């Protein structure tokens, strides 16, 4: 049996005999992916619950309520009589906002007096608060403008003329990239690689760190016929293949979910991911070899990967971040994967187009690979370090 | 081994165990300083936009100034002509655009409606929605000014004109997070998940230590009581540290008093401790808790519904989520901290009871099996 095959067999036996190892490679990614797919089960949120406090109880107030409720994004739950009830329902999360239609609404509309409508939204639930703000604002403004148009038509203007006078500047929007504001493309498609990159890092640390912790370097090295590169490659082959298969599964799932085959390049996305995988495997190997203990390596790996999602600029814009966050972001390899993924999924970029994003990733991979090999070589060749972990 | 000696032994281990102490002290301190960094600005402003002004009239220049004066928008270039890809590519930092066609003022003067296109990159939803909202509000304000002029010319007095131009005005009040701060929206919830995960890691490492080092496993009930007391106190201390010290440092102040906070913190912490005991019962190494905790942190945060609402989750997951101490804990603590609302504690105490009972049961099973294994092999733990 060659050193490579013997090393491979040894690694397989280690994998099936260590629950944490196989859990990190198979079970935990599966659990996380199922959970995330369940969390982002729809592309966007509809029917955000809200109440109306109708103090007028007139046909005009009912018309305004109807206007708001016509929006697919709003689910009008109850028409209440008091503000206290509405606030209590917001606090208990039964609704995310309410609107008060004041007493005298109909009378004021017929006599031409101005009416003020107050709406309250739960902005601690930022996303739903913003949805309700937009819908209430839009609904009430539409009601208001239709009243103004009627006034001008009553004064003798044609409908078009009245409309042009009431809304002289109309707007039309173009959403570039993620045209349907699909949250599955925005969050699910980015959180899955985030979890995956944590697992790549963790598994790489487990593979080498556990060996160093158990003091089994000699056995590992001798099984691979004392050939350094054979020892490394035979050790990394199985986790590399499994993690790459996870990556491919994620990318295929995302493509199927977004129906992206027609416009985006799956190959480019997979290549970008594989390069990221190599990079994080090299970082994991470096951490395992450089830090004083297996536990410390895992802690540092956690620090490097877990908060990364906050820095990459998906949830919060980079131009509003401070210089430290921007610098840290630039040195996170996963940032460049996200940039490539964004270009591929939202801007129809091909592999050649994402090369500028992949170059820094390749640079990181090279640097960390050299660092990992040097650090591991030192660990393996120096018997005094075999049991110091 | 008696309950008391188990208690003393566990306390001594925790005091000597550098790994657990790092997780309990260094990790919260480091993460609470590091994690909020990207969000410190709290709101989105100065979204870079470019405007194609194909008219270059007094009106359009004034409107562009109004857009630029909006805190959320920053006009980085005003270009002549129609929108085109070459210009757009020349300003890669631009997130948003608008275009004023050549005949804008003329059409408005002729009482014809004009359509202004706007748009932007949707790579980041927060940026796009902020810019789009600021843009439409500015255009609505411009429309209102023009409309007011029309009605003034018809009515001859500004009071009637105002009422007819804007018959229904709407005021939207942002409750509980008046500045719509992204920091207040996300970071407290992350800190609560952090408390949960620190407890899972600490208890998992503490529990795994005895098996890995082949130390006496201790009396399961004694160890359970010790972990319950120690880690509950640690959990409460961490919540106090985050909400009293670290969040106010970011100008996020809570509304509830200390007792109201304790009221919800206690069932949450007890539930988290019970969950940690159950989750880590079969762990045999200190590091196992780290490996298992890391990837589930993000799903735990998301399942709680603070970032992505329950409305958008699969039904089975909404059902599962209510049995997790983190879901109830995050929502309950945020209720007290920012909504000035005392949540229903039943679910929190129910979860605490279930998870603590399960943790105790599993520990009896694990210790029983461990002792049986050692009896059969004739080994005695050191």
């Amino acid at each position: 049996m060659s050193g490579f095959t013997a090393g491979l067999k040894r690694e397989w036996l280690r994998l099936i005999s260590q629950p944490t190892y196989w859990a990190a490679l198979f079970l935990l990614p599966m659990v996380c992916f199922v959970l995330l797919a369940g969390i982002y089960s729809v592309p966007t949120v509809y029917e955000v619950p809200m109440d109306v406090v109708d103090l007028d109880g007139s046909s005009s107030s009912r018309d305004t309520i109807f206007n708001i409720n016509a929006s697919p994004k709003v689910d009008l739950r109850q028409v209440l009589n008091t503000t206290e009830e509405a606030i209590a329902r917001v606090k208990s999360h039964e609704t995310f906002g309410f609107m008060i239609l004041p007493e005298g609404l109909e009378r004021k509309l017929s006599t031409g007096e101005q009416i003020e409508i107050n709406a309250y939204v739960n902005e601690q639930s930022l996303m739903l608060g913003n949805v309700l703000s937009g819908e209430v604002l839009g609904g009430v403004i539409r009601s208001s403008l239709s009243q103004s148009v009627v006034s001008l038509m009553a004064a003798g203007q044609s409908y078009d003329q009245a409309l042009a006078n009431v809304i002289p500047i109309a707007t039309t929007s173009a959403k570039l990239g993620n045209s349907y504001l699909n949250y599955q493309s925005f969050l699910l498609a980015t959180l899955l690689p985030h979890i995956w990159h944590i697992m790549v890092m963790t598994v790489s640390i487990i593979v080498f760190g556990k060996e160093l912790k158990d003091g089994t370097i000699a056995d590992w090295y001798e099984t691979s016929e004392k050939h350094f590169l054979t020892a490394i490659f035979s050790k990394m082959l199985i986790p590399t293949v499994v993690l790459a298969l996870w990556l491919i599964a994620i990318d295929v799932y995302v493509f199927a979910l977004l129906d992206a085959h027609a416009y985006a390049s799956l190959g480019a996305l997979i290549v970008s991911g594989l390069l990221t995988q190599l990079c994080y495997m090299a970082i994991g190997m470096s951490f395992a070899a450089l830090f004083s203990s297996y536990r410390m390596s895992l802690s540092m790996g956690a620090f490097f990967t877990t908060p990364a999602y906050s820095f990459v600029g998906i949830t919060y814009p980079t131009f509003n971040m401070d210089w430290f966050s921007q610098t840290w972001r630039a040195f996170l390899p996963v940032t460049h994967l996200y940039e490539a993924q964004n270009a591929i999924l939202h801007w129809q970029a091909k592999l050649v187009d994402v090369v500028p994003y992949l170059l820094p990733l390749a640079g990181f991979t090279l640097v960390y690979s050299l660092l990992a090999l040097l650090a591991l070589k030192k660990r393996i060749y120096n018997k005094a370090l075999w049991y110091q972990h | 081994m008696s309950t008391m000696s188990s208690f003393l032994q566990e306390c001594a281990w925790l005091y000597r165990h550098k790994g657990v102490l790092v997780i309990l002290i260094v990790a919260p301190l480091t993460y609470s300083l590091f994690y909020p960094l990207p969000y410190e600005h709290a709101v989105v402003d100065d979204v870079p936009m470019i405007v194609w002004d194909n008219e270059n009239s007094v009106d359009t220049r004034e409107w562009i100034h109004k857009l630029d004066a909006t805190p959320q928008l920053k006009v980085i270039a005003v270009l002549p002509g129609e929108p085109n890809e070459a210009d757009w590519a020349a300003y890669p930092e631009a997130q948003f655009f608008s275009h004023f066609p050549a005949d804008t003022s003329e059409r408005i003067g002729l009482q014809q409606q004009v359509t202004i296109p706007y748009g932007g990159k949707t790579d980041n939803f927060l940026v796009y929605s902020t810019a789009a909202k600021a843009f439409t509000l500015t255009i609505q304000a411009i429309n209102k000014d023009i409309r007011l002029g029309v009605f003034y010319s018809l009515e001859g007095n500004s009071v009637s004109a105002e009422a007819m131009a804007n018959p229904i005005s709407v005021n939207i009040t942002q409750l509980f997070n008046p500045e719509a701060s992204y920091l207040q929206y996300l970071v407290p919830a992350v800190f609560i998940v952090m408390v949960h995960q620190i407890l899972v890691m600490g208890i998992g490492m503490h529990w795994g230590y005895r098996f890995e080092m082949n130390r006496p496993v201790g009396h399961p009930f004694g160890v359970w009581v010790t972990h319950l007391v120690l880690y509950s106190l640690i959990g409460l201390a961490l919540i106090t540290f985050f909400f009293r010290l670290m969040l106010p440092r970011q100008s996020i102040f809570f509304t509830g008093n200390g007792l109201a906070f304790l009221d919800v913190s206690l069932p949450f912490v007890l539930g988290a401790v019970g969950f940690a005991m159950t989750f880590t019962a079969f762990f045999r190494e200190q590091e196992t808790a780290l490996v298992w905790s890391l990837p589930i942190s993000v799903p735990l945060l998301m399942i709680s519904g603070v970032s992505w609402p329950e409305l958008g989750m699969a039904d089975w997951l909404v059902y599962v989520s209510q049995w997790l101490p983190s879901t109830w804990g995050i929502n309950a603590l945020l209720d007290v901290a920012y909504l000035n609302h005392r949540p229903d504690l039943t679910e929190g105490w129910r979860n605490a009871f279930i998870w603590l009972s399960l943790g105790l049961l599993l520990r009896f099973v694990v210790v029983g099996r461990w002792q049986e294994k050692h009896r059969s092999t004739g080994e005695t733990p050191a």
Side-chain angles (χ1 to χ4, degrees):
Chain A
M1 195 185 287
S2 71
F4 185 80
T5 316
L8 202 62
K9 191 179 168 192
R10 181 180 177 278
E11 192 59 23
W12 172 251
L13 292 173
R14 279 179 70 82
L15 167 62
I16 56 172
S17 64
Q18 293 178 8
T20 304
Y21 191 175
W22 64 254
L25 212 43
F26 298 106
L27 183 65
L28 286 169
M30 173 72 82
V31 169
C32 291
F33 299 159
V34 168
L35 288 176
L36 285 175
I39 292 166
Y40 297 100
S41 66
V42 292
T44 191
V45 173
Y46 292 100
E47 299 197 335
V48 180
M50 75 171 283
D51 288 333
V52 171
V53 179
D54 185 0
L55 301 177
D56 198 45
S58 62
S59 58
S60 298
S61 66
R62 284 192 293 276
D63 188 48
T64 309
I65 293 169
F66 179 79
N67 261 344
I68 305 285
N69 203 23
S71 162
K73 295 206 165 179
V74 173
D75 175 20
L76 192 63
R77 288 282 167 91
Q78 287 190 21
V79 178
L80 304 167
N81 296 320
T82 65
T83 309
E84 288 73 20
E85 282 177 86
I87 287 184
R89 282 168 57 79
V90 172
K91 286 187 172 184
S92 60
H93 303 283
E94 287 170 84
T95 64
F96 291 88
F98 63 93
M99 183 173 71
I100 303 173
L101 297 175
E103 198 178 345
L105 181 119
E106 189 162 63
R107 179 181 55 76
K108 285 182 179 175
L109 274 177
S110 56
T111 56
E113 290 175 71
Q114 199 175 35
I115 298 149
E116 199 168 85
I117 289 178
N118 289 303
Y120 299 85
V121 294
N122 178 357
E123 205 66 16
Q124 182 60 32
S125 298
L126 197 72
M127 181 187 161
L128 301 183
N130 285 343
V131 168
L132 285 185
S133 296
E135 295 305 310
V136 169
L137 202 63
V140 174
I141 285 172
R142 272 194 299 278
S143 287
S144 175
L145 295 178
S146 61
Q147 293 291 336
S148 299
V149 169
V150 168
S151 301
L152 286 179
M153 287 172 74
Q157 293 193 0
S158 70
Y159 175 74
D160 287 345
Q161 196 185 2
L163 190 66
N165 278 322
V166 171
I167 314 170
I169 304 174
T171 55
T172 176
S173 68
K175 300 173 186 77
L176 308 179
N178 187 355
S179 311
Y180 297 101
L181 296 179
N182 183 338
Y183 276 88
Q184 286 176 327
S185 179
F186 170 54
L187 288 178
L188 180 60
T190 50
L191 278 170
L192 287 173
H194 173 67
I195 300 289
W196 168 81
H197 105 286
I198 294 175
M199 295 319 301
V200 171
M201 184 80 160
T202 308
V203 167
S204 306
I205 294 173
I206 291 173
V207 168
F208 291 95
K210 188 76 170 67
E211 199 88 66
L212 293 163
K213 182 189 173 187
D214 292 346
T216 49
I217 300 269
D219 180 54
W220 163 40
Y221 191 47
E222 280 158 14
T223 307
S224 306
E225 296 175 344
K226 296 188 176 180
H227 189 278
F228 178 66
L229 288 178
T230 304
I232 299 285
F233 285 124
S234 61
K235 195 156 190 52
M236 289 308 285
L237 185 64
I238 296 171
T240 304
V241 170
V242 176
L243 291 166
L245 287 173
W246 272 120
L247 169 79
I248 293 168
I250 291 169
D251 290 347
V252 169
Y253 171 69
V254 166
F255 262 63
L257 193 71
L258 305 178
D259 208 7
H261 291 280
Y263 59 86
S265 165
L266 178 62
L269 192 58
I270 290 173
V271 169
S272 308
L274 289 176
L275 190 55
T276 312
Q277 179 179 334
L278 289 180
C279 187
Y280 276 94
M281 290 182 91
I283 299 171
M285 288 160 67
S286 312
F287 279 21
L290 288 171
F291 289 107
S292 60
S293 72
Y294 176 39
R295 194 173 56 240
M296 182 58 80
S297 317
L298 282 170
S299 301
M300 295 312 292
F303 182 75
F304 195 64
T305 52
T306 316
Y309 196 73
S310 315
F311 288 83
V312 291
I314 291 168
T315 52
Y316 193 73
T318 50
F319 56 81
N320 280 146
M321 288 182 193
D322 60 10
W323 67 269
F324 176 83
S325 304
Q326 296 204 29
T327 310
W328 181 257
R329 172 186 181 270
F331 282 96
L332 287 172
V334 76
T335 300
H336 307 284
L337 170 66
Y338 283 130
E339 286 177 336
Q341 177 172 314
N342 183 37
I344 293 163
L345 280 181
H346 299 140
W347 301 95
Q348 292 82 48
K350 305 290 175 208
L351 185 58
V352 69
D353 303 318
V354 294
V355 167
Y357 304 120
L358 300 186
L359 283 176
L361 206 46
F364 285 131
T365 309
L366 189 66
V367 170
Y368 280 112
S369 298
L370 288 172
L371 184 66
L373 291 177
L374 288 173
L376 278 171
K377 202 167 187 175
K378 192 177 163 193
R379 282 272 180 179
I380 292 170
Y381 286 174
N382 188 350
K383 284 188 182 180
L385 297 176
W386 283 6
Y387 304 103
Q388 290 181 10
H389 208 68
Chain B
M1 188 177 271
S2 71
T3 304
M4 181 48 76
S5 57
S6 288
F7 184 87
L8 295 173
Q9 178 186 273
E10 292 299 316
C11 292
W13 279 359
L14 180 62
Y15 181 69
R16 287 201 304 265
H17 197 314
K18 272 196 297 185
V20 178
L21 290 177
V22 165
I23 293 293
L24 297 179
I25 297 168
V26 181
L29 189 64
T30 314
Y31 273 82
S32 60
L33 289 170
F34 183 69
Y35 183 82
L37 282 177
Y39 305 122
E40 278 197 333
H41 196 66
V43 293
V44 175
D45 58 17
D46 286 341
V47 176
M49 79 173 286
I50 57 177
V51 180
W52 280 278
D53 182 3
N54 208 13
E55 184 173 271
N56 195 19
S57 64
V58 175
D59 284 341
T60 57
R61 283 197 296 273
E62 188 191 327
W63 297 339
I64 291 166
H65 288 152
K66 282 187 175 171
L67 287 171
D68 196 28
T70 310
Q72 289 82 9
L73 297 171
K74 181 181 176 184
V75 178
I76 56 169
V78 180
L79 307 167
E82 303 280 331
N84 61 82
E85 204 173 336
D87 285 346
W88 184 240
Y91 294 92
E93 72 275 31
Q95 298 288 324
F96 203 73
F97 72 87
S98 180
H99 169 227
F100 293 106
D103 55 354
T104 302
S105 300
E106 188 188 336
R107 283 174 65 92
I108 291 172
L110 292 170
Q111 297 188 341
Q112 292 174 355
Q113 197 176 47
V114 62
T115 300
I116 306 286
Y118 72 88
K121 296 174 184 170
T122 51
D123 304 346
N124 185 310
F125 281 14
L126 195 60
V127 172
Y128 180 78
S129 62
T130 304
K133 190 175 171 185
F135 181 84
T136 48
L137 287 175
T138 309
I139 295 296
Q140 278 168 13
I142 294 167
N143 272 337
K144 190 185 157 193
D145 286 347
I146 298 171
R147 196 159 64 235
L148 208 54
V150 171
F151 279 99
Y152 185 74
S153 65
L154 279 177
E155 292 294 308
N157 77 78
S158 59
V159 177
S160 301
E162 170 71 31
M164 291 178 83
N166 204 27
I168 308 173
S169 68
V170 60
N171 299 319
I172 295 184
T173 305
Q174 298 179 334
L175 299 171
F176 317 128
N177 181 6
E179 306 297 324
S181 158
Y182 200 80
L183 196 71
Q184 182 182 317
Y185 156 67
L186 193 64
V187 173
V190 172
F191 281 178
I192 301 166
V193 170
M194 221 183 275
V195 172
H196 184 276
Q197 294 301 83
I198 285 168
L199 292 175
V200 171
M201 285 188 265
I203 290 174
M205 289 172 79
H206 201 154
W207 180 245
Y209 178 78
R210 75 207 63 231
F211 302 104
E212 184 177 344
M213 309 306 281
N214 211 23
R215 297 286 170 85
V217 288
H219 188 276
F221 184 71
V223 177
W224 181 84
V225 169
T226 313
H227 285 189
L228 178 62
V229 173
L230 282 178
Y231 287 94
S232 296
L233 290 174
I234 289 166
L236 293 174
L238 286 174
I239 289 173
T240 309
F241 168 71
F242 285 134
F243 279 85
R244 279 280 188 202
L245 210 64
M246 299 317 286
L247 288 170
R249 199 185 144 266
Q250 310 283 348
S251 302
I252 304 174
F253 301 96
F254 67 83
T255 54
N257 62 36
L259 275 178
F261 234 65
L262 184 66
D263 200 23
V264 290
S265 298
L266 196 58
F268 161 61
V269 167
L270 292 177
V273 168
F275 178 85
M277 288 176 180
T278 310
F279 189 69
T280 64
F282 294 95
F283 291 177
R284 292 285 171 277
E285 280 188 316
Q286 300 164 73
E287 293 83 1
T288 311
L290 286 174
V291 173
W292 283 71
S293 302
L294 293 179
I296 64 162
S297 304
V298 173
L300 279 181
L301 174 70
M302 299 300 171
I303 289 170
S304 72
V306 290
S307 171
W308 175 257
E310 276 185 5
L311 296 167
M313 291 184 203
D315 292 341
W316 65 267
L317 196 63
V318 174
Y319 179 77
V320 169
S321 75
Q322 60 181 311
W323 298 95
L324 297 172
S326 54
T327 299
W328 183 85
I330 291 169
N331 286 290
L333 278 162
L334 293 181
D335 276 1
V336 172
Y338 306 114
L339 274 64
N340 198 16
H341 171 65
R342 184 176 186 263
D344 181 9
L345 301 182
T346 320
E347 196 178 310
W349 283 110
R350 179 203 67 190
N351 286 346
F353 176 75
I354 290 172
W355 287 108
L356 283 170
S357 307
L358 208 52
L360 180 62
L361 182 72
L362 284 179
R363 285 183 165 201
F364 265 107
V365 171
V366 168
V367 169
R369 281 174 54 184
W370 177 260
Q371 285 169 339
E372 197 176 312
K373 184 182 160 193
H374 281 278
R375 266 198 299 274
S376 63
T377 55
E379 292 171 23
T380 323

